[in-house]
Amino acid sequence: SFANFVDEDYTSIYLRGNLNLSDPAPLMLCFLSNFDFTNSDKKCPPERNALKDFYESAKGQEWTNSELWLNPHQNHCDWHGIECASGNIIGINLANNGLSGTLSKSIGDLHMLEELDLSDNDIKGVVPSEVGHLSKLVRLRLSYNELTGTLPDDFFANLTKLQLIQLHSNRIRGTIPILEWTEEKSWKPILSNYSSSFVADCGSPSDFGESLNCTECTMCCNAHGNCYPNEDTDIQKMYIEDYTHFSLVLYFGFFAGAYLIVVLVLSVLNRKKYRQLPRRSIRQLSEKDHKYALHALGADSVYQFFMGKS
C-alpha cells in the first residue's frame, strides 16, 4: 500500500494546482514533512490532526467502536462519536467505548468543542491542563476512569460556559480549585439547579487518606460508589463537624444529664429526711433561770456583765 513505501522524512509530495484534490487531503499526507499542503487548514485541518493524536494516545485500535477513525478518505466529522457544526468539532462522545491509555494534550486544539464525554472507560494518567483551555465547553464528563494527579489551580478559569462537570470515580487527589465567579460567569446558578451537575470524589469514606476537597461540588461520591448531595447534614447544621464528634457530644451529654438527675434525687431525699425529724420547742428563759445562772457562774462573770447592760 501507499503507507508501506512512503518515508515521512524523505518523501516529497507536491499537489498544489491539482484541481481534483478534495478537502481535506488524505490523512497520511498531512503527516509528511515535505507535503506542500501540510500547513493548509483546509487540506490538513488541525482538528483532524488533534483527533489522530487523541486516537493513538487512547489506544484507538482497542476501542469497542472505532468506525471510520483515521480513514484517509473519510471526513473526520463522520468518525464514530464525533459531532461537527459548520466544519468544526463541537462534540466527542465516546462513553463506555473501551478507551484506555492516556488523554492527549492535543485535545486542547479543539477550540470549538462544547461536549467532551469520555466516561466509563479505562483512561489513565493526569487530566491535561489543555482541557482547561476549551472555553466553549458546556459538558465535561470524565467519570469512571483511572485518572490521577491534581487539577491545576487555574483549570476552570476559562471554562465559563460549563453546565455539567462529572469527575467522580477516578484517582484525582487534593483540592479541586474554587471556581472564580464574576457577574459575567453566570453558570454557577445553572450548576446549583442540578444535583448531579458538578460531581467529584469528595465523599467519605475515601480511597485516599482524606476525601477530595471540593467546596463547589453539588454532589460527592465515596469509595463505595455511593453519591449524595454536597450539603450540610442535620448534625453539621448544629455546628457539629461529623458523627464522631456527634457521638462524643451525645456521650458526655448523657453522663452530664445522669449526674444532674442523681444530684437532684439526692437533694430531694435529704430535704424529705430533714422534714421528718421532730422539732424541739424553744422555751423562753424566766427570771428564776437568770437568778440561777448568776448564782452558778458568779457575780463577776461575763454573763453578769451582759445581763447588767441589758
Side-chain angles (χ1 to χ4, degrees):
S1 65
F2 179 77
N4 292 332
F5 66 84
V6 167
D7 190 315
E8 295 184 5
D9 294 327
Y10 299 102
T11 301
S12 298
I13 297 180
Y14 301 99
L15 298 177
R16 195 172 301 276
N18 188 336
L19 300 179
N20 295 323
L21 183 63
S22 60
D23 296 333
L27 180 63
M28 63 185 69
L29 295 181
C30 294
F31 289 89
L32 297 177
S33 58
N34 295 320
F35 177 49
D36 56 349
F37 282 114
T38 296
N39 297 321
S40 170
D41 290 347
K42 290 185 177 181
K43 302 299 182 183
C44 297
E47 289 189 336
R48 186 178 63 170
N49 297 341
L51 286 182
K52 177 180 181 294
D53 291 340
F54 170 81
Y55 177 88
E56 293 174 347
S57 181
K59 299 184 178 180
Q61 293 180 340
E62 301 175 3
W63 293 359
T64 303
N65 187 345
S66 59
E67 184 179 4
L68 300 182
W69 274 77
L70 303 193
N71 187 314
H73 305 292
Q74 194 71 38
N75 191 298
H76 58 280
C77 291
D78 297 326
W79 296 357
H80 171 72
I82 301 301
E83 181 182 358
C84 291
S86 302
N88 297 309
I89 299 174
I90 63 170
I92 299 178
N93 189 336
L94 294 171
N96 192 23
N97 197 46
L99 278 67
S100 56
T102 60
L103 285 178
S104 171
K105 294 182 178 181
S106 62
I107 199 168
D109 295 333
L110 306 178
H111 303 295
M112 304 303 293
L113 194 65
E114 298 178 4
E115 178 176 6
L116 178 60
D117 188 349
L118 305 177
S119 58
D120 293 285
N121 285 292
D122 192 31
I123 303 173
K124 298 178 176 60
V126 300
V127 179
S129 59
E130 285 76 10
V131 174
H133 300 162
L134 302 174
S135 60
K136 303 290 185 180
L137 204 60
V138 176
R139 292 175 293 276
L140 174 63
R141 297 188 66 210
L142 300 177
S143 53
Y144 296 103
N145 280 285
E146 294 292 332
L147 296 168
T148 59
T150 59
L151 297 180
D153 292 339
D154 59 348
F155 185 82
F156 291 103
N158 297 316
L159 304 182
T160 59
K161 296 186 177 181
L162 277 174
Q163 297 181 16
L164 179 72
I165 314 170
Q166 294 184 349
L167 304 174
H168 57 289
S169 297
N170 281 290
R171 307 286 297 178
I172 299 174
R173 293 178 177 268
T175 301
I176 291 182
I178 295 177
L179 307 179
E180 297 293 338
W181 308 108
T182 64
E183 293 182 359
E184 292 79 14
K185 298 179 179 181
S186 58
W187 52 283
K188 185 175 183 180
I190 297 176
L191 288 177
S192 301
N193 290 335
Y194 301 94
S195 60
S196 60
S197 58
F198 192 177
V199 188
D201 295 318
C202 48
S204 181
S206 173
D207 286 329
F208 315 115
E210 296 182 358
S211 300
L212 182 69
N213 185 8
C214 181
T215 57
E216 302 286 346
C217 286
T218 58
M219 183 171 287
C220 289
C221 298
N222 60 25
H224 303 310
N226 300 320
C227 301
Y228 50 85
N230 185 22
E231 57 186 16
D232 288 343
T233 62
D234 291 338
I235 63 170
Q236 288 174 330
K237 291 176 182 178
M238 299 166 59
Y239 302 100
I240 301 175
E241 184 175 350
D242 53 34
Y243 283 100
T244 300
H245 290 84
F246 178 72
S247 299
L248 292 174
V249 171
L250 188 62
Y251 177 82
F252 287 112
F254 172 78
F255 280 98
Y259 174 78
L260 291 176
I261 292 174
V262 170
V263 170
L264 181 61
V265 170
L266 291 176
S267 176
V268 171
L269 291 176
N270 287 334
R271 291 182 62 184
K272 186 176 181 181
K273 178 180 178 181
Y274 286 120
R275 284 178 181 178
Q276 293 176 349
L277 292 176
R279 295 185 177 181
R280 296 181 179 180
S281 60
I282 301 176
R283 184 171 57 87
Q284 296 293 328
L285 294 177
S286 65
E287 185 66 26
K288 184 178 179 180
D289 294 328
H290 286 299
K291 290 179 179 181
Y292 175 79
L294 287 173
H295 176 73
L297 297 175
D300 297 330
S301 65
V302 175
Y303 178 79
Q304 171 61 31
F305 174 76
F306 283 107
M307 291 300 294
K309 294 291 184 178
S310 60

